């Protein structure tokens, strides 16, 4: 519950657009046990989920219910992300 990126803790019965991406087109997605990552057409990386051990790339342990752009990667053109048990590769 709460890991779908819609900002709520409710289950979703049907597919629903994630509004946080706005007009950004998502081209790649990877999800782990408690987190999700997306790459948009402009090469930006977004993450959301449980931020334990700073695993979301934002430098905090905060839980994110909506996708947030990873600022440390701004200016880099990322083409894909891959999640593992306790790591993420971009």
């Amino acid at each position: 519950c709460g890991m779908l990126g819609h900002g709520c803790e409710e289950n979703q019965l049907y597919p629903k657009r994630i509004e946080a991406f706005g007009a950004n087109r998502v081209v790649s997605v990877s999800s782990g046990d408690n987190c999700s990552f997306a790459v948009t057409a402009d090469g930006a990386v977004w993450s959301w989920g449980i931020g334990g051990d700073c695993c979301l790339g934002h430098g905090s342990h905060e839980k994110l219910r909506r996708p947030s752009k990873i600022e440390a990667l701004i200016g880099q053109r990322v083409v894909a992300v891959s999640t593992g048990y306790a790591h993420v590769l971009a």
Side-chain angles (χ1 to χ4, degrees):
C1 232
M3 298 299 166
L4 297 176
H6 301 294
C8 65
E9 294 285 333
E10 300 169 4
N11 292 327
Q12 299 292 317
L13 298 178
Y14 303 101
K16 180 178 175 184
R17 180 182 187 88
I18 299 175
E19 300 297 329
F21 291 117
N24 294 297
R25 186 171 59 95
V26 175
V27 296
S28 176
V29 176
S30 184
S31 61
D33 288 341
N34 297 307
C35 59
S36 297
F37 290 79
V39 178
T40 50
D42 62 355
V45 180
W46 302 65
S47 66
W48 64 100
I50 295 177
D53 297 325
C54 301
C55 69
L56 297 178
H58 300 284
S60 75
H61 299 275
E62 183 178 353
K63 178 180 179 179
L64 298 176
R65 291 183 175 93
R66 289 186 175 89
S68 181
K69 191 182 290 189
I70 299 177
E71 293 187 24
L73 295 175
I74 291 177
Q76 304 295 316
R77 181 150 180 81
V78 176
V79 295
V81 292
S82 180
T83 56
Y85 174 71
H87 65 282
V88 178
L89 305 173

